[in-house]
Amino acid sequence: MYLSNASNPTDMKWKQEKLMLAVKAMNNIEEILVNVMDRQPRWSCLLNAVDSRVDNMFVLVRSQALADHRGLLASLGWPPPLMTSNLDNGRRSEISNPLFLMQEDKKETFSLSFISLCALQHLQGRREVRRSSHLGHRVCLNNSLWVFEELVSPIASRVEPHFFKWLVRPKFIFALVYKITRDLIEGIEEVLQPLIDRERLVGYSAREAWVLGMVRMLSEFLKKQMFSVLAEDYHNKNGSAQLKSSWLHLVDLCISFDKQMETLVSSGNPAFQFQHSKGISLLSIFCDQPDWLEIWTELELKDAEEKLKPELYNEKAWVLDVRSCARDIQDTQNESFLLSTREEFKTPLVAGTATQIAWTLIERCQNLPNVLHQVQFIRSSTANFLQYFFDLLLWRHQLMERRTAYLDGDILIKIASLINAARYCESVLHEWSDNVSFLEMKVVENNSIGDTRSSINLQTSFFAIEINCLIKLETDWLEEIMTGLLREFNILSWNYVQNRNQWERDDSFNSVVVPEELTVSVEMVVALDTLKDHFQILKMALNSKDFLDLWRSIAGGLDHFIFSSIILSGVKFSKWGAYQFKADIRALFLVFQPFCTRPEAFFPVVSNTVKLLSLKQEDASHLLGILSKVQSKSECLQQHGMHHVHSDQAEKILKSRLW
């Protein structure tokens, strides 16, 4: 037997041959057990009895095989001297790799030991698969190879004393692990990758396995000696500033270290992708400790809020200088409403800073191996930070809310800046949500809560709650501006609207009445000039998309206001009064002329009213007669170009003519 013979440590080849015989024997037993389990499932007691005896033998064989392999590594000079003093004085020196310096006889012996351990590990994998009743018959690729664990284990013992010396200067810990990993990786790959390929261990990479082992070694130390202490201090001190700084600094080192390890792995094969799913990330520490993940997200959130605070008290960061983004108001032909950059959104600096901080939070969790943990991190940190910023936008608006009864230029600019900030954040969140990573997170999140409508929920974005919050803010603030401008127009045009006699005035004593030469009514001048001034400010201060929606909504509101307060109020129009009304409406259209080619299209009811009042006397009488006779009055009006007034409204307008 393998365990009872060959105690001479120099006869490694003979011992490895005996080990392979033992592995072959246990493999044969495993084949028999599989066949019996398939054909005679009722013989479970017999299977358990045989399994128990094989387990005892397997434990002894594995223990002896690992001991022999460790002895072989020690005889080769593994682990090599680490020369840690060079880290302190900043000098760089390569660590020599004993595996790379092996003689041919040693290489053969090491190869046999490698193959034997892999065969033994493969046998263990087969037994675990059978016992768990899983289908399949292959090595468990998610487990690290024992040979790499044996390479890392003595290094861990060697470096641990240095780690304890550097607890207050953790950057040296990371630097030492990186140096060891980097200096030895080429030799390990050159020696072990051919053995992996020869044994057809599909899915394994010597370079990746070596990096994985070193990452896990450092991860265990950080977990036991650093994060556990910081977590305990957090609960005891309720999160002091020094603790937050230490925790986040340690996370910074972990993220930087992960990137270095990614570079090491991918540098061996450009086509090889760094597999976070295999746990090659120090941030996997937080996957095993949900309470630590919660602490981390809370500290990140506090840090993000502190980073934003300098901008909160800087008024220049909240309001965009309209002079820097002013454009020719008359130039609308080439206006584009496809916004993409912060400048195109006319966004204040604070919104750009907030989205940058939010994205930084997202980037800090990307190396978390578990997608669900990434979701939890983003929900607890990024989403809460964004909501914090949205609350600040609302608070800023509430400060000026009482001053909006009469909108002056400064108030309009400030509200426009808030709208621009919200619109820009909404656009950024839409862009993020379209990323494949966030689509995957959305599916994982739905599955985690047992939502079977994942295909439907994919139509909603990952940041749907935040986007809906922004949309509500934008809508409310735009409606407030629209309501304020319409209310102001109503007040300033009150005398004009209430002066019913002006429409019945008869200037027939004038020999010739030329409608085109009539000027706007005096009572309308102030209202129109004020509206024009507000539009000039809003066009410069508000992003193009929202300004487009705003002026169209105001046009619709004025169309309804003028029609209901004048036309439907029962006034009578003399010929001169109709001409004057047409001149006033033409002046109103001129206010909107810089924004569109045909402003009358956005005043459909008033435009139809002007057409009806402008008809010649015989045409008006003819149309009124037709409307009183035909049943399909709507079709009749449409044939005469009246698409937006009802038949009863048209009849009322025609009957209001006094000529």
Side-chain angles (χ1 to χ4, degrees):
M1 288 296 294
Y2 165 66
L3 295 174
S4 59
N5 297 313
S7 59
N8 186 355
T10 62
D11 198 3
M12 288 295 296
K13 182 176 180 180
W14 183 81
K15 295 181 69 173
Q16 296 304 324
E17 291 175 353
K18 289 295 184 181
L19 173 59
M20 292 304 296
L21 288 175
V23 173
K24 183 177 180 180
M26 286 187 285
N27 266 316
N28 292 336
I29 295 174
E30 183 65 23
E31 291 287 351
I32 296 173
L33 293 178
V34 170
N35 291 332
V36 172
M37 186 178 65
D38 292 338
R39 298 179 182 180
Q40 300 292 343
R42 293 178 296 178
W43 292 6
S44 58
C45 293
L46 177 60
L47 290 173
N48 291 336
V50 175
D51 242 349
S52 179
R53 297 185 64 180
V54 175
D55 282 343
N56 294 333
M57 180 58 65
F58 184 87
V59 170
L60 294 174
V61 171
R62 180 180 185 273
S63 177
Q64 186 63 45
L66 291 175
D68 290 342
H69 189 75
R70 291 166 190 160
L72 174 60
L73 288 175
S75 68
L76 296 174
W78 188 272
L82 304 179
M83 296 175 291
T84 56
S85 60
N86 291 333
L87 287 174
D88 298 298
N89 56 37
R91 293 181 299 174
R92 174 175 175 177
S93 60
E94 296 290 335
I95 300 175
S96 60
N97 191 335
L99 300 182
F100 190 70
L101 302 175
M102 284 189 300
Q103 301 297 324
E104 289 301 323
D105 57 336
K106 291 289 188 179
K107 283 186 178 180
E108 183 179 359
T109 303
F110 182 82
S111 299
L112 289 174
S113 181
F114 177 92
I115 294 170
S116 300
L117 284 179
C118 287
L120 197 60
Q121 186 173 3
H122 181 252
L123 172 62
Q124 184 188 50
R126 290 186 61 193
R127 292 172 61 78
E128 289 176 353
V129 169
R130 173 177 57 81
R131 286 174 173 175
S132 61
S133 299
H134 289 167
L135 297 177
H137 188 282
R138 63 173 185 171
V139 178
C140 184
L141 297 181
N142 288 329
N143 292 332
S144 60
L145 291 173
W146 293 344
V147 288
F148 287 95
E149 293 178 0
E150 295 305 316
L151 289 174
V152 173
S153 179
I155 292 179
S157 301
R158 184 75 63 85
V159 300
E160 194 168 85
H162 301 286
F163 287 178
F164 280 107
K165 289 192 303 182
W166 295 331
L167 287 177
V168 294
R169 305 182 71 184
K171 67 176 183 178
F172 289 131
I173 296 176
F174 289 86
L176 177 58
V177 176
Y178 173 69
K179 175 178 173 57
I180 296 171
T181 308
R182 181 200 62 203
D183 290 350
L184 300 179
I185 193 170
E186 298 296 339
I188 287 176
E189 183 179 34
E190 183 171 334
V191 173
L192 298 185
Q193 190 61 49
L195 298 177
I196 290 175
D197 296 339
R198 189 171 75 181
E199 290 303 302
R200 298 180 181 178
L201 299 177
V202 181
Y204 278 107
S205 162
R207 179 177 286 264
E208 181 192 10
W210 167 245
V211 171
L212 174 60
M214 294 298 290
V215 169
R216 288 182 176 176
M217 176 200 72
L218 179 56
S219 176
E220 287 299 316
F221 180 83
L222 295 177
K223 185 186 302 182
K224 295 178 181 178
Q225 304 299 334
M226 301 194 75
F227 278 111
S228 60
V229 176
L230 289 174
E232 185 177 354
D233 291 344
Y234 175 84
H235 293 300
N236 294 337
K237 300 179 182 179
N238 196 24
S240 65
Q242 180 61 37
L243 184 142
K244 179 175 74 69
S245 176
S246 299
W247 186 292
L248 295 182
H249 177 61
L250 195 57
V251 171
D252 289 339
L253 292 173
C254 290
I255 294 174
S256 177
F257 182 82
D258 283 345
K259 292 179 180 178
Q260 290 178 318
M261 295 298 103
E262 178 178 355
T263 302
L264 284 180
V265 172
S266 58
S267 62
N269 183 0
F272 185 84
Q273 296 295 322
F274 190 60
Q275 300 295 327
H276 294 309
S277 60
K278 295 187 178 182
I280 310 182
S281 173
L282 289 177
L283 297 186
S284 59
I285 294 172
F286 297 102
C287 297
D288 303 327
Q289 300 287 340
D291 56 326
W292 293 2
L293 180 63
E294 185 176 341
I295 295 173
W296 179 25
T297 55
E298 184 174 337
L299 295 178
E300 289 284 4
L301 177 59
K302 290 181 179 178
D303 184 64
E305 293 174 354
E306 291 176 2
K307 289 179 179 178
L308 187 64
K309 280 184 179 179
E311 301 290 346
L312 303 184
Y313 304 102
N314 181 11
E315 287 300 320
K316 293 183 179 179
W318 281 96
V319 179
L320 190 68
D321 184 3
V322 295
R323 291 173 297 180
S324 65
C325 61
R327 292 171 294 178
D328 187 1
I329 294 181
Q330 302 300 324
D331 182 17
T332 59
Q333 299 300 321
N334 298 323
E335 180 118 40
S336 172
F337 302 107
L338 299 177
L339 309 179
S340 59
T341 65
R342 188 176 68 84
E343 290 74 17
E344 290 172 335
F345 278 95
K346 302 180 182 179
T347 310
L349 181 62
V350 67
T353 303
T355 52
Q356 289 175 2
I357 294 174
W359 181 250
T360 301
L361 287 175
I362 294 172
E363 288 183 321
R364 289 177 68 78
C365 76
Q366 287 181 344
N367 278 9
L368 280 171
N370 188 293
V371 176
L372 185 57
H373 287 109
Q374 293 181 25
V375 173
Q376 293 172 350
F377 180 93
I378 294 173
R379 293 297 187 203
S380 300
S381 62
T382 308
N384 286 338
F385 172 75
L386 289 172
Q387 190 58 55
Y388 166 75
F389 178 65
F390 302 160
D391 291 341
L392 289 175
L393 294 179
L394 183 60
W395 174 72
R396 295 276 303 188
H397 176 266
Q398 291 173 345
L399 290 179
M400 64 184 81
E401 195 170 22
R402 297 181 179 179
R403 300 174 56 192
T404 56
Y406 291 92
L407 298 173
D408 58 32
D410 291 338
I411 293 295
L412 285 177
I413 292 174
K414 290 180 179 180
I415 298 179
S417 295
L418 294 178
I419 295 173
N420 293 344
R423 177 68 69 183
Y424 175 73
C425 292
E426 179 196 346
S427 174
V428 170
L429 292 181
H430 276 300
E431 182 179 349
W432 291 353
S433 297
D434 291 338
N435 187 283
V436 175
S437 298
F438 285 104
L439 294 176
E440 179 186 3
M441 289 183 196
K442 184 66 177 177
V443 174
V444 171
E445 185 178 34
N446 291 340
N447 294 338
S448 69
I449 60 178
D451 196 334
T452 59
R453 302 170 300 164
S454 58
S455 60
I456 299 177
N457 287 333
L458 276 176
Q459 298 176 6
T460 62
S461 67
F462 182 85
F463 293 101
I465 296 177
E466 292 75 19
I467 290 174
N468 290 335
C469 176
L470 289 170
I471 291 175
K472 186 179 186 306
L473 292 178
E474 297 158 16
T475 303
D476 290 346
W477 295 340
L478 285 171
E479 287 181 354
E480 179 181 288
I481 293 178
M482 180 186 71
T483 302
L485 294 182
L486 290 176
R487 185 190 303 117
E488 188 176 52
F489 187 91
N490 186 356
I491 294 173
L492 295 177
S493 63
W494 177 256
N495 292 333
Y496 173 80
V497 172
Q498 296 300 315
N499 187 7
R500 299 166 58 92
N501 295 330
Q502 63 178 319
W503 314 119
E504 301 177 11
R505 178 182 173 185
D506 186 7
D507 273 5
S508 57
F509 56 87
N510 292 330
S511 58
V512 179
V513 178
V514 182
E516 289 74 11
E517 295 180 358
L518 290 176
T519 58
V520 63
S521 299
V522 176
E523 294 89 346
M524 277 284 284
V525 172
V526 176
L528 294 177
D529 283 346
T530 302
L531 182 63
K532 181 180 180 180
D533 292 340
H534 288 334
F535 275 153
Q536 288 178 333
I537 294 173
L538 288 169
K539 181 170 175 56
M540 290 187 295
L542 193 61
N543 70 83
S544 56
K545 182 182 184 305
D546 283 325
F547 180 73
L548 173 68
D549 295 338
L550 179 63
W551 74 255
R552 286 181 173 180
S553 298
I554 292 175
L558 291 176
D559 187 48
H560 173 76
F561 167 71
I562 293 173
F563 186 73
S564 60
S565 60
I566 297 178
I567 306 303
L568 298 183
S569 64
V571 299
K572 300 295 183 178
F573 286 92
S574 65
K575 189 173 186 179
W576 184 94
Y579 287 158
Q580 184 62 55
F581 180 76
K582 183 178 181 180
D584 294 339
I585 297 303
R586 185 171 64 248
L588 176 63
F589 290 168
L590 289 176
V591 175
F592 292 84
Q593 187 71 54
F595 319 133
C596 58
T597 305
R598 295 181 62 254
E600 59 270 18
F602 300 95
F603 294 83
V605 182
V606 170
S607 295
N608 282 183
T609 300
V610 171
K611 287 183 180 180
L612 290 172
L613 292 177
S614 300
L615 291 175
K616 295 181 179 180
Q617 182 176 1
E618 55 272 19
D619 293 337
S621 300
H622 177 69
L623 178 59
L624 186 61
I626 294 176
L627 290 176
S628 62
K629 297 177 181 179
V630 300
Q631 293 182 349
S632 56
K633 298 180 180 181
S634 297
E635 293 182 4
C636 177
L637 287 174
Q638 291 177 6
Q639 291 175 357
H640 286 77
M642 312 296 171
H643 299 276
H644 302 285
V645 292
H646 302 303
S647 57
D648 54 342
Q649 294 173 340
E651 290 181 14
K652 186 173 184 178
I653 295 171
L654 291 172
K655 291 178 180 180
S656 69
R657 294 163 53 104
L658 298 177
W659 78 99

